[in-house]
Amino acid sequence: MATVLERAPSLGGLSRVARRSYRLVADVPAIPLLIVAALTFVAIFAPVLAPHGKLTPVKPTPEQCQAKFGTPSCPYVDNLPPFWFKGGSIDTPLGTDFLGRDVLSRLMYGARISLVVALTGTLFAGAIGTLLGVLAGYMGKWWDQIIMRVTDAWLTLPSLVFAILLSSVRGPGVWNVVLILALVFWSRYSRAVRGEVLALRERDFVKLAEINGIPTRTIIFRHLMPNVMNSVMVLFSLQVGVAVIIEASLSFLGVGVPPPEPSWGLMMAQERESLMDGKWWLAVFPGIGITMLVLSANMLGDWLRVRLDPQLRNR
Amino acid sequence: MRRYILVRALYSVVTLWLLVTIIFGLVRLTGDPVEMKAEAGADAAYVARLKHDWGLDQSLPRQYLSFLGNLLQGDFGHSFEKSLPVRDIYFERLPNSLKLGFAAFVISIVLGVPLGMLSALKVNSWWDSVGKGIALFGLSMPGFFVGLVLIIVFGIQLGWLPVLGKGRSAFVGSDPSTWVLFWFKDWSHLIMPAFALGWYFSGAMLRITRSGMLDVLGSDYIKLVRLKGVPERMVVAKHAFKNSMIPVLTFAGLNLLIIVNFAVVIEVIFNWPGVGQLLYDGLSNRDFPMVQGVVLMSGLMIVVLNFAIDVLYGYVDPRIRLSR
Amino acid sequence: MIRGLLAPVTALVLSVLACGDAVAQKGPGAPILSGPLAKLDIKPAQVDTAKGTSKGTLTVAMHFALDPGWLDPLEHSYAITQQMYDYLVHDTMIKPMPYGYVTYGLAEHVELAADFRRAAFRLRPGLKFHDGHALTTADVKWTYENYKGAYAKLFHDKLEHIQIVDDRTIVFHFKEPFIDFMDIYNGGVSGIGWIVPRHYYEKAGRDGFKAKPIGAGPYRLVSQQAGVQMTFEAVDDYWRRTPATKTIVVKGIRDPATRMAGLQTGELDLAFGMTGKVLPRLMADPNLRYDPNFTGPWWLMFPGYNEPGSPFRDKRVRQAVSLAINRPFLVKQETQGIGKPWGNWISSENRDALQGAEAPVPEYNVEKAKQLMAQAGVPDGFEVDYLPFPPYFDMGERIITDLRAIGIRGKLQSLEGPAFRGKINQGRKGVPGNRTIVQNIDPRAGGSKNNIAVYAVCDSPSSFVCEPQIEALWKKHQASLDLAERERLIKSIQKIMLDEHYFVPIYWNPFVHGIGPRVLPEGKAVSKYWDTLNAPYPWPWEVWEVKADR
């Protein structure tokens, strides 16, 4: 009996994942990975990399003050264009915003917020959703019914509701957005995972484990979870993109990250009116940032899905 | 089969009831609408009257029961902010959302499906990469960014298109001869918001079409048809296309509902008078009946659609209905 | 652009006269009340009987979603916004007009007894509602009795009975001297003066009335999409004059950038709330015009300042806050220089408001502010929450930046409009903690005392200020029937508030309105539409003129 179990393909599920991961990495698309890596690097080291603070206006030179206000000194100079335009300065390479703050620095800090929020939020959502999906798929009967009905109902709730709710209960804040993402998106995972588990449940290695009296908890965590990780990872990478856009949209509507924190979505929202006034760089750069991040995440996710395709096909 | 349908129907009802209860609770956690409506300096009598008018002076269980009771009679209550019955306001706006959603939907299909099919037919070629690239690009730009750029370029700089949305309260109760006209009138106001909205979903449609086609093209059935010597053009047009449409349509149906119900940001930017704005206004003003009504209606639409899809699948694929 | 000092409604002269053509102020007609009367300064309505034709369409964009409830005066809110619709669809006995803060409307003759216990009105002859029914004193009485809106309790408590003398003459009898009656009955303050047709309201019911209201005003509602748009058409035989514009369309557009876009493409003729970042664009566009439209001053409040443990307990800290704000630069950045740094939290369009030398603009002196902070024992500053008035978050950020220079590190709590109002309307209960700065603005009408009654006295639910000195003065004010003494007391209260820095005034806010090219008259003369005092919106509407439709 021991030998049969040894040969059972799912045992050591974790090392299986590790081996598989190695094979995967060998084939990764370079550019999206580089972009994501670069953004992550910037996000982590923003305090060191950023030329100026994220909240304090840049100290202006007398020439700048003279040019804008006609006096040699002023608290700050707002709406400086990027350095390649007339009037711009290499000290603030991407210009300054309405409060005289350096756009590049705020973009860097903003990367932090966008990445942290999207990753953490999706992670939480994934964790909750996967667990619930596995429970629903494996335990069946009442577990299944209740979890699935709640999932169905929950899927139709708009994220805006949670945004306003959290904002009024806890006051506006960055972590609200993480909570919102977790609260709204877990339902996407539980559906997919449940489907996977329903199929997995019939497989030999699971049946063998059951016969051998291995406790349910072990089956769930050691056998089932690692095997659904494939689809979860794919879903995760695709949801990160969605999360970034949701955070941007919520901040745009005023119920996401509150000012003066520099979230990319918030920067776009705040400078929308400047966009109409010809100061396009204030809203376009964060927009490009969002697009690049989401694009890269999506491409990585796509590549992951293709890579893991044979496993998915088994259903 | 009948048992299957009954079971699915039961699930739908339970789901709806759960939704109703959840939103009832959630919305009451967002704050006290009376405090927010009464201005500074309002006297206690004024505040008490508001509270009474809105039914908020009753206990929570009573509020819940009367809410459910009214729901079953089709009464969603009176909007706190807009003072009229929620049902009237909602159905006045719904056609506008449908119009926008449908137009965005059409754009997403027109852009996404042919490109997706092309990608699938020429899989892994240069065409495929372009297709995938376009899809990803569409899915990566937030809708409001696209909307912004459109407004500035086409609305203000070029002056070709109007920037303010224009819906009409056609449909409900008015002259049936306007029902068809409604979809086509004021189309210039529709183009930009529909495009901004549809852009995002065209990426998704492209993907789904592509993977659906790929699945079908690789299937045994198609191999057989090819073996029979049917020309490639016919293979695609007659056999592959139809079969690949099933997942596409399913996805598309759900997409349509999402577009109709959750296009809040686009509606705000273009001032399109749809139900998304109702939700946004309602939430901002803690307008409980409005939020409950809008969420419930959108939930109802989605649940009914899911039910229809389930029944359709059950009918088409016996394995599904027998396995549960 | 200060519109000059407001002519006070008070100057005590007893008039005992009998006949017609005397003081044109009082309007035509025989006296109604016996006994000594209070002097009222009500300007005559400018009636223009020439029958013109209305032409053109005016499209207006409001800065939030429209509420059909605004069409019902019986449930009039405290918010001043509703008056925009009052001026369109309804009419009132006396109301603010460009000709005077109190001008005759439906009434042609008003008397107030010197002991303030009786008020008499005579309606003009031949008044009609939109459906042709005559407007009589029965409607005035019915409106008063069924009124449920702002100040309803006050009106009902004070009333003893209403006496209908005839179809056009009515007398209100009060249980006790109701000195503020004329102030609050004025259409600019509450809704009770806007007359509702009893026959129609009873037939249509609350919902029916809000869906299809009928009033006595210059425009009638022809269609509405709840929350989105309302379309009004001119009533040709309105008693005052034929409205100049045939159709007025009001849209609710929350987003300033969208309103701006609408102005630029010509889809909008008038847009409210063009402040902040859209303002430079508006000013730069040669096709568009704007009116500064000063509403009220901004000021900062310190919830919980008088509790131990609050850093704002020390007057020097509050003064430091005032000294640290660079008002001229703020005004230049936030309002393109249109705003005016101001020394009071009450707008000078209000009666008895301190201004000029009596309430000088606080200076900008960061060094002195730092010294004061050090003297008060907090040289390194402290952290606070900052609650800005939505949607002026940019302005909040600017002020926080200024305060950071003296060590006060503010964290912006950006709530949305209703949430913010919900908090501060509850006063101390709504804003817990004593390390908060609240930025507020409130251009309410009815004289300075109204503002003080809400924000500066202990028993107002929305007040953060409770000082025994002010309470004593306020009690005296409420008890007094002497108008000169009342004025003195109100001014003293303001002086204390400002000297002790309980409130820190910032600048007088221009709530800029954008005007499109189709609005007549051309050029700067268009600003005449904003001449009504205490009005954040350019009413009345019957004078607005636009170019004829293309």
Side-chain angles (χ1 to χ4, degrees):
Chain A
M1 206 159 33
T3 38
V4 172
L5 284 174
E6 271 169 48
R7 271 183 281 153
S10 79
L11 273 183
L14 289 167
S15 63
R16 186 178 182 220
V17 171
R19 260 179 281 135
R20 211 186 287 151
S21 308
Y22 173 72
R23 283 205 304 267
L24 290 180
V25 176
D27 194 21
V28 158
I31 298 186
L33 192 64
L34 270 175
I35 294 181
V36 172
L39 285 174
T40 315
F41 182 75
V42 165
I44 297 178
F45 293 106
V48 174
L49 291 169
H52 300 279
K54 64 173 170 166
L55 295 181
T56 36
V58 175
K59 200 127 181 47
T61 66
E63 297 82 45
Q64 286 172 331
C65 283
Q66 192 69 40
K68 182 111 190 182
F69 299 111
T71 59
S73 91
C74 56
Y76 55 78
V77 176
D78 54 298
N79 293 315
L80 280 175
F83 75 93
W84 59 85
F85 285 111
K86 180 167 166 302
S89 142
I90 198 73
D91 184 40
T92 52
L94 294 180
T96 59
D97 70 0
F98 74 98
L99 214 53
R101 300 176 293 207
D102 177 34
V103 172
L104 180 61
S105 308
R106 280 174 67 84
L107 281 176
M108 289 179 163
Y109 280 100
R112 223 177 216 207
I113 293 192
S114 296
L115 275 170
V116 165
V117 165
L119 281 173
T120 336
T122 320
L123 211 67
F124 286 164
I128 301 175
T130 307
L131 185 59
L132 285 176
V134 166
L135 281 175
Y138 186 66
M139 309 288 282
K141 298 200 216 62
W142 285 117
W143 286 92
D144 189 15
Q145 286 312 316
I146 294 181
I147 294 181
M148 276 304 113
R149 292 313 122 230
V150 172
T151 302
D152 282 345
W154 211 271
L155 271 172
T156 63
L157 287 173
S159 55
L160 203 52
V161 173
F162 292 100
I164 301 256
L165 171 65
L166 282 171
S167 152
S168 35
V169 164
R170 297 181 73 240
V174 177
W175 291 103
N176 282 1
V177 187
V178 173
L179 274 176
I180 293 168
L181 288 171
L183 281 174
V184 171
F185 285 103
W186 66 262
S187 39
R188 315 291 194 259
Y189 291 87
S190 58
R191 268 237 139 153
V193 168
R194 171 185 175 272
E196 285 262 330
V197 170
L198 278 180
L200 277 177
R201 187 164 68 168
E202 308 302 321
R203 296 267 301 270
D204 290 345
F205 69 91
V206 174
K207 294 267 187 241
L208 274 172
E210 285 171 359
I211 292 172
N212 275 298
I214 294 185
T216 313
R217 179 144 23 116
T218 317
I219 297 186
I220 289 181
F221 284 104
R222 281 199 73 195
H223 301 309
L224 290 175
M225 293 274 263
N227 282 299
V228 301
M229 272 305 143
N230 284 342
S231 17
V232 171
M233 282 200 295
V234 173
L235 205 51
F236 180 88
S237 59
L238 296 173
Q239 290 286 67
V240 167
V242 175
V244 173
I245 294 195
I246 296 271
E247 180 268 310
S249 305
L250 288 177
S251 300
F252 184 84
L253 290 176
V255 292
V257 175
E261 287 301 318
S263 121
W264 287 346
L266 186 62
M267 285 166 82
M268 287 181 72
Q270 283 187 311
E271 301 292 0
R272 220 180 108 212
E273 293 128 30
S274 305
L275 190 58
M276 308 178 70
D277 202 5
K279 304 195 260 285
W280 56 268
W281 58 90
L282 295 166
V284 167
F285 287 135
I288 294 180
I290 294 179
T291 308
M292 282 194 348
L293 175 59
V294 176
L295 196 58
S296 310
N298 280 343
M299 285 175 79
L300 284 175
D302 243 5
W303 167 82
L304 251 185
R305 191 228 306 263
V306 166
R307 208 61 183 71
L308 301 174
D309 212 294
Q311 270 69 34
L312 283 178
R313 277 276 183 86
N314 261 348
R315 267 200 288 155
Chain B
M1 183 62 185
R2 203 174 329 142
R3 181 167 177 277
Y4 176 72
I5 295 184
L6 274 175
V7 166
R8 304 306 308 177
L10 183 64
Y11 286 171
S12 301
V13 169
V14 171
T15 303
L16 277 175
W17 171 77
L18 270 176
L19 180 62
V20 161
T21 310
I22 293 175
I23 195 66
F24 177 88
L26 277 184
V27 103
R28 274 162 180 70
L29 286 175
T30 58
D32 183 358
V34 178
E35 282 163 29
M36 297 180 182
K37 178 90 183 230
E39 302 287 319
D43 56 49
Y46 181 80
V47 172
R49 178 185 68 82
L50 275 183
K51 219 166 176 162
H52 179 77
D53 276 350
W54 292 349
L56 294 177
D57 51 354
Q58 298 173 327
S59 72
L60 215 54
R62 276 208 69 189
Q63 285 183 39
Y64 180 63
L65 286 173
S66 54
F67 171 55
L68 275 185
N70 288 335
L71 260 188
L72 290 172
Q73 296 171 38
D75 175 12
F76 290 108
H78 275 67
S79 162
F80 293 167
E81 188 214 353
K82 297 187 170 66
S83 312
L84 293 176
V86 169
R87 185 184 52 197
D88 294 349
I89 301 177
Y90 184 85
F91 282 105
E92 191 181 60
R93 297 250 196 149
L94 186 60
N96 295 327
S97 274
L98 285 174
K99 185 170 170 180
L100 177 63
F102 203 69
F105 180 66
V106 165
I107 289 181
S108 72
I109 290 194
V110 161
L111 285 181
V113 170
L115 281 176
M117 284 180 46
L118 197 60
S119 272
L121 289 173
K122 300 195 189 297
V123 67
N124 290 325
S125 75
W126 183 80
W127 281 105
D128 189 19
S129 307
V130 167
K132 280 199 288 192
I134 293 181
L136 286 177
F137 205 65
L139 286 170
S140 308
M141 272 209 312
F144 58 89
F145 193 39
V146 178
L148 252 42
V149 172
L150 286 176
I151 288 183
I152 294 185
V153 172
F154 291 100
I156 301 181
Q157 303 282 4
L158 293 174
W160 289 352
L161 294 168
V163 297
L164 296 181
K166 196 161 181 188
R168 307 173 76 77
S169 49
F171 279 24
V172 189
S174 64
D175 181 10
S177 69
T178 59
W179 291 15
V180 171
L181 214 65
F182 167 73
W183 295 101
F184 301 104
K185 223 166 185 295
D186 295 324
W187 59 271
S188 60
H189 294 265
L190 183 59
I191 296 182
M192 287 202 293
F195 193 78
L197 202 49
W199 163 273
Y200 184 85
F201 289 100
S202 61
M205 293 306 290
L206 201 159
R207 267 216 182 133
I208 288 279
T209 313
R210 179 181 175 279
S211 66
M213 269 298 257
L214 280 178
D215 274 352
V216 168
L217 283 175
S219 69
D220 293 340
Y221 168 69
I222 292 293
K223 286 197 196 126
L224 187 63
V225 167
R226 283 205 182 109
L227 277 177
K228 281 169 66 177
V230 176
E232 191 61 18
R233 181 95 77 72
M234 288 285 282
V235 172
V236 170
K238 246 187 96 170
H239 303 284
F241 179 70
K242 272 196 299 205
N243 286 316
S244 62
M245 278 301 113
I246 297 180
V248 173
L249 283 178
T250 320
F251 189 71
L254 219 47
N255 258 358
L256 175 60
L257 282 187
I258 293 178
I259 294 177
V260 166
N261 287 302
F262 299 132
V264 181
V265 177
I266 298 288
E267 286 188 15
V268 166
I269 299 180
F270 288 94
N271 200 54
W272 189 266
V275 298
Q277 268 205 10
L278 280 184
L279 182 65
Y280 185 40
D281 286 343
L283 279 168
S284 299
N285 291 289
R286 311 298 189 269
D287 188 350
F288 295 166
M290 182 62 78
V291 173
Q292 284 162 185
V294 174
V295 170
L296 192 56
M297 284 305 299
S298 61
L300 183 66
M301 283 193 254
I302 294 180
V303 165
V304 165
L305 185 71
N306 278 335
F307 174 68
I309 293 178
D310 280 344
V311 168
L312 202 65
Y313 269 173
Y315 186 66
V316 162
D317 188 346
R319 293 177 301 171
I320 296 180
R321 70 180 122 107
L322 289 176
S323 74
R324 315 281 253 100
Chain C
M1 217 195 287
I2 304 184
R3 280 179 195 80
L5 294 180
L6 164 62
V9 179
T10 59
L12 275 183
V13 168
L14 297 177
S15 56
V16 205
L17 78 195
C19 264
D21 72 348
V23 191
Q25 317 275 55
K26 298 251 296 266
I32 311 169
L33 298 176
S34 54
L37 298 176
K39 169 88 155 64
L40 297 172
D41 184 14
I42 309 183
K43 301 283 186 280
Q46 307 288 337
V47 181
D48 181 2
T49 47
K51 208 88 171 77
T53 38
S54 344
K55 58 174 170 55
T57 307
L58 174 72
T59 311
V60 183
M62 280 210 76
H63 51 298
F64 35 83
L66 310 176
D67 178 358
W70 289 330
L71 297 165
D72 183 358
L74 284 190
E75 296 180 12
H76 207 281
S77 71
Y78 282 85
I80 207 168
T81 315
Q82 182 158 358
Q83 289 172 33
M84 175 162 158
Y85 298 84
D86 295 335
Y87 274 85
L88 279 168
V89 178
H90 299 286
D91 210 343
T92 178
M93 309 292 261
I94 45 176
K95 63 187 180 190
M97 288 285 265
Y99 325 115
Y101 182 57
V102 194
T103 305
Y104 281 112
L106 293 175
E108 67 175 12
H109 181 68
V110 176
E111 289 172 7
L112 183 63
D115 61 357
F116 304 108
R117 295 184 63 155
R118 285 164 301 150
F121 297 83
R122 180 181 300 119
L123 294 169
R124 276 162 214 289
L127 290 171
K128 287 200 297 245
F129 288 109
H130 297 152
D131 59 354
H133 262 84
L135 190 158
T136 65
T137 46
D139 296 302
V140 178
K141 176 167 186 279
W142 186 86
T143 302
Y144 195 103
E145 287 170 346
N146 288 280
Y147 182 68
K148 291 182 294 214
Y151 301 105
K153 187 166 191 316
L154 182 63
F155 282 119
H156 291 138
D157 283 349
K158 294 263 197 190
L159 182 74
E160 191 192 33
H161 80 274
I162 305 179
Q163 171 200 4
I164 296 194
V165 174
D166 61 46
D167 253 4
R168 289 170 52 201
T169 322
I170 189 169
V171 181
F172 294 94
H173 296 261
F174 304 115
K175 294 179 186 150
E176 48 192 38
F178 194 171
I179 192 169
D180 296 324
F181 177 74
M182 224 33 100
D183 272 342
I184 332 184
Y185 197 71
N186 183 357
V189 181
S190 84
I192 203 169
W194 300 90
I195 306 302
V196 176
R198 158 206 197 146
H199 68 281
Y200 180 72
Y201 198 98
E202 286 180 336
K203 195 167 55 149
R206 281 175 74 193
D207 283 351
F209 190 81
K210 293 184 176 77
K212 282 189 181 7
I214 287 199
Y219 285 88
R220 70 165 73 82
L221 180 79
V222 289
S223 76
Q224 67 166 318
Q225 296 174 40
V228 178
Q229 183 169 299
M230 292 186 185
T231 310
F232 303 89
E233 242 174 46
V235 171
D236 285 335
D237 48 1
Y238 179 57
W239 60 267
R240 200 167 85 74
R241 54 163 291 171
T242 310
T245 299
K246 184 146 180 26
T247 313
I248 295 187
V249 177
V250 182
K251 290 179 184 269
I253 303 180
R254 256 169 170 259
D255 189 52
T258 311
R259 294 197 293 275
M260 187 68 220
L263 273 178
Q264 289 182 287
T265 59
E267 290 162 72
L268 297 173
D269 298 309
L270 173 66
F272 299 151
M274 309 302 287
T275 52
K277 297 196 182 80
V278 291
L279 187 53
R281 186 97 192 95
L282 177 61
M283 293 172 71
D285 192 322
N287 279 332
L288 303 174
R289 294 164 286 177
Y290 65 93
D291 185 277
N293 187 38
F294 286 96
T295 52
W298 291 105
W299 81 90
L300 301 178
M301 303 192 277
F302 308 101
Y305 71 96
N306 47 11
E307 291 167 10
S310 170
F312 297 112
R313 192 156 193 218
D314 190 325
K315 168 182 168 180
R316 288 171 293 198
V317 174
R318 301 195 296 270
Q319 192 178 356
V321 168
S322 181
L323 289 167
I325 301 178
N326 189 345
R327 290 171 181 77
F329 192 68
L330 181 62
V331 152
K332 196 193 321 248
Q333 293 295 83
E334 182 70 19
T335 66
Q336 309 304 310
I338 301 178
K340 294 181 200 307
W342 206 247
N344 194 351
W345 87 95
I346 301 179
S347 147
S348 62
E349 289 183 7
N350 277 308
R351 205 171 69 232
D352 307 332
L354 289 182
Q355 58 187 294
E358 292 173 320
V361 177
E363 55 164 330
Y364 172 56
N365 193 331
V366 176
E367 281 316 307
K368 189 161 163 203
K370 287 191 188 160
Q371 280 170 16
L372 286 171
M373 293 281 283
Q375 284 170 18
V378 280
D380 299 324
F382 45 87
E383 304 209 334
V384 293
D385 279 332
Y386 186 96
L387 243 68
F389 187 91
Y392 295 85
F393 304 121
D394 293 350
M395 186 180 163
E397 286 196 64
R398 296 185 199 274
I399 294 182
I400 288 186
T401 308
D402 276 351
L403 293 179
R404 201 169 282 128
I406 62 170
I408 299 184
R409 299 174 293 280
K411 180 162 150 286
L412 211 70
Q413 287 244 355
S414 41
L415 305 171
E416 351 113 46
F420 174 83
R421 278 197 291 284
K423 265 184 144 48
I424 69 163
N425 292 350
Q426 297 231 311
R428 199 73 199 92
K429 267 192 341 176
V431 187
N434 51 27
R435 287 169 180 259
T436 314
I437 301 180
V438 176
Q439 173 193 329
N440 199 13
I441 185 174
D442 194 331
R444 61 178 60 217
S448 308
K449 66 171 183 334
N450 246 2
N451 211 307
I452 291 175
V454 173
Y455 291 107
V457 298
C458 292
D459 65 2
S460 160
S462 315
S463 167
F464 295 117
V465 170
C466 191
E467 293 294 322
Q469 240 188 325
I470 297 182
E471 287 305 298
L473 293 171
W474 181 250
K475 270 182 76 166
K476 266 212 242 165
H477 171 272
Q478 294 298 78
S480 160
L481 295 180
D482 175 349
L483 292 165
E485 184 190 2
R486 287 183 133 221
E487 179 183 338
R488 243 186 333 104
L489 290 166
I490 290 297
K491 289 194 169 167
S492 309
I493 295 180
Q494 289 174 63
K495 191 127 179 49
I496 298 176
M497 293 287 292
L498 295 171
D499 285 346
E500 297 293 309
H501 305 283
Y502 293 132
F503 286 171
V504 172
I506 313 179
Y507 65 82
W508 200 1
N509 188 40
F511 187 60
V512 180
H513 290 172
I515 311 161
R518 294 184 50 237
V519 177
L520 297 170
E522 313 242 358
K524 285 258 171 244
V526 77
S527 280
K528 71 174 189 183
Y529 295 129
W530 279 267
D531 281 345
T532 311
L533 289 165
N534 269 138
Y537 304 110
W539 47 67
W541 296 101
E542 61 266 20
V543 300
W544 275 78
E545 241 188 289
V546 289
K547 294 185 186 159
D549 285 337
R550 314 168 200 94

